Amino acid sequence: MNNKEQEKICPLCGENNNCQHGKECWCTTIKIPKHVLDLIPEDKKGKACICKSCIEKYS
């Protein structure tokens, strides 16, 4: 999987994160709790957005 494809995948559930990377996106206006960010595996941190479903599920 290349970097562009990886950016579209939620690092928690593996589903499409629906991020509009580089554009106006929902992910730029939402505050993700630290405990949710801590769930991301080390090798996936900083590579893709968490999807809305996982943010809601784990918050």
Side-chain angles (χ1 to χ4, degrees):
M1 183 179 307
N2 68 37
N3 287 345
K4 282 290 184 198
E5 291 170 330
Q6 191 174 11
E7 288 175 3
K8 298 177 182 179
I9 303 298
C10 174
L12 296 181
C13 69
E15 297 296 321
N16 188 319
N17 61 19
N18 204 23
C19 179
Q20 304 301 312
H21 192 71
K23 301 176 185 168
E24 290 289 321
C25 184
W26 64 269
C27 70
T28 63
T29 60
I30 193 165
K31 175 78 171 141
I32 302 171
K34 184 182 179 321
H35 71 273
V36 177
L37 294 173
D38 289 343
L39 296 172
I40 301 172
E42 282 299 320
D43 65 326
K44 294 183 179 182
K45 286 188 178 189
K47 296 182 179 170
C49 294
I50 299 169
C51 70
K52 280 185 183 179
S53 296
C54 283
I55 292 169
E56 291 170 0
K57 178 179 176 180
Y58 294 110
S59 288

